[in-house]
Amino acid sequence: MKQLHRKDLFGWSVFDPERNLDFHSVLWIRNDGNVLIDPLPLSEHDHSHLQRLGGAGFIVITNSDHCRDAEHIASITGAVLCGPAAEEDTFPLSCSRWLYDNEEIVPGLVAYELEGSKTPGELALVLEHTTLITGDLIRCHVGGELCLLPESKLTDVDKAIHSVKRLADLPGIKAVLTGDGWPLFNHGAEALHRLARSL
């Protein structure tokens, strides 16, 4: 795992040759139980690193296509699985907690429901008002420029655009950590605004 733009944030990635981009996972280190977001399989090295950092108390899955290795990691760490409430009926995993729009998952981490994406209840997460963590709807195929999931994969284009504009209106966003593509460690709000204006 690599340290990100904050001392309490780490990430690990897997390159997907079919899409020619990286898939990412995020780890937030906190005293009351570390939080994993959309966790990919851990290498032996990363698993040891996670243990040294205190293991995992919570695993947040942003959408049903990002379950990845969450169930396995929960089984070996004892972490609480959290998924999007709007996908509860069709979610491939059994979660102990279902997350709703504008819900504070743990202190400092808030879920925002994104309408119109490829799954009905996809979540974006905002960490301490400054770091936006996205699953599928907002991605970054070209360094520094955010883009939308391809229109062919959206369930409702107008709702998806509204969801992006809602996130762009959030004050104080500095970093955008995308599930797919490049992370933006600085000027996240500006990139969100450019994306919103382009839609």
Side-chain angles (χ1 to χ4, degrees):
M1 287 184 285
K2 304 170 290 288
Q3 186 174 316
L4 302 180
H5 62 295
R6 295 170 38 145
K7 291 182 178 179
D8 59 351
L9 284 182
F10 290 80
W12 70 105
S13 310
V14 170
F15 181 72
D16 182 84
E18 182 181 336
R19 295 173 180 84
N20 201 40
L21 49 73
D22 289 318
F23 295 155
H24 303 289
S25 301
V26 176
L27 167 64
W28 179 28
I29 305 300
R30 51 190 298 277
N31 290 332
D32 295 322
N34 295 338
V35 179
L36 294 175
I37 299 163
D38 291 345
L40 293 155
L42 291 160
S43 68
E44 186 175 333
H45 170 82
D46 287 340
H47 178 68
S48 296
H49 194 186
L50 175 63
Q51 294 306 106
R52 291 195 304 274
L53 292 169
F58 303 87
I59 295 175
V60 179
I61 304 166
T62 60
N63 67 83
S64 55
D65 288 340
H66 277 208
C67 291
R68 299 172 169 175
D69 206 33
E71 190 170 39
H72 173 247
I73 294 172
S75 72
I76 60 176
T77 62
V80 174
L81 281 174
C82 309
E87 298 184 30
E88 181 177 357
D89 291 342
T90 57
F91 209 67
L93 302 182
S94 176
C95 291
S96 301
R97 185 172 168 195
W98 298 102
L99 304 173
Y100 291 85
D101 184 53
N102 210 30
E103 179 176 349
E104 190 169 48
I105 304 166
V106 295
L109 186 65
V110 177
Y112 290 87
E113 191 173 291
L114 305 179
E115 296 183 306
S117 191
K118 64 178 179 177
T119 59
E122 180 177 329
L123 302 174
L125 311 175
V126 175
L127 174 60
E128 295 180 341
H129 307 288
T130 61
T131 297
L132 172 66
I133 303 167
T134 68
D136 273 327
L137 182 62
I138 297 174
R139 45 192 47 211
C140 183
H141 293 190
V142 176
E145 293 297 326
L146 298 174
C147 62
L148 200 64
L149 189 71
E151 188 171 319
S152 61
K153 294 189 176 182
L154 300 176
T155 57
D156 189 307
V157 174
D158 290 337
K159 287 182 177 179
I161 291 171
H162 175 77
S163 293
V164 171
K165 291 184 175 182
R166 180 189 181 206
L167 293 177
D169 285 341
L170 294 173
I173 298 297
K174 295 179 180 177
V176 180
L177 305 181
T178 60
D180 301 345
W182 296 100
L184 279 68
F185 297 125
N186 292 293
H187 308 295
E190 292 92 327
L192 280 169
H193 292 149
R194 285 195 300 272
L195 174 59
R197 287 194 300 270
S198 74
L199 301 174

